[in-house]
Amino acid sequence: MTKLQPLGNRVIVERDESEATTRGGIVLPETAREQAARGRIIRVGPGQLSDTGTRTPLQVKRGDRVIFSQYAGSEVEIGQRKLLVMREGDILAVVE
C-alpha cells in the first residue's frame, strides 16, 4: 500500500460516508447525495515552517474527528480509499 505523508501544515482526512436517506426516510441515489464535510484525520504534517526555521505544530492530531469546508482539499485515491489532502486552515472544528 502507498503511504502518504503530508507536508507542512497539511493533513490527510478520510471523509465520512454521506447520508443514504433523508430524515423523512427517502432513500437518496449515489448521484443525489451531498458529500459529507466531516471526517477523521489519518495523518498530519510536521507543521508550518516559520521564517526563523522552527516548526509550529498543528492543533489537530491523528484520529481527530473534524468538520471542514465542503470544497476543501484535493481528493486523492489510494487503492480503494478516497482521501482528502487539505491545509489545517480548512478545518473548521474538532468534534469531541
Side-chain angles (χ1 to χ4, degrees):
M1 180 175 154
T2 304
K3 275 184 121 176
L4 284 180
Q5 176 59 48
L7 303 175
N9 65 342
R10 289 180 177 79
V11 296
I12 298 175
V13 176
E14 185 169 34
R15 190 187 299 260
D16 289 347
E17 292 292 320
S18 57
E19 295 294 323
T21 57
T22 64
R23 289 185 183 150
I26 298 171
V27 177
L28 297 172
E30 184 80 28
T31 56
R33 296 181 197 170
E34 282 190 29
Q35 291 189 345
R38 299 173 149 234
R40 184 173 55 91
I41 295 182
I42 304 297
R43 292 189 75 119
V44 297
Q48 185 69 38
L49 189 61
S50 71
D51 293 336
T52 61
T54 59
R55 294 231 178 242
T56 305
L58 277 65
Q59 292 180 292
V60 294
K61 63 187 179 308
R62 185 178 183 173
D64 281 352
R65 310 273 315 153
V66 294
I67 298 171
F68 48 86
S69 302
Q70 185 157 357
Y71 300 106
S74 299
E75 190 171 276
V76 294
E77 196 168 327
I78 304 296
Q80 299 296 320
R81 296 172 83 182
K82 289 184 179 179
L83 303 171
L84 288 170
V85 179
M86 68 178 67
R87 294 182 186 276
E88 182 186 34
D90 291 332
I91 296 172
L92 304 174
V94 175
V95 179
E96 294 184 7

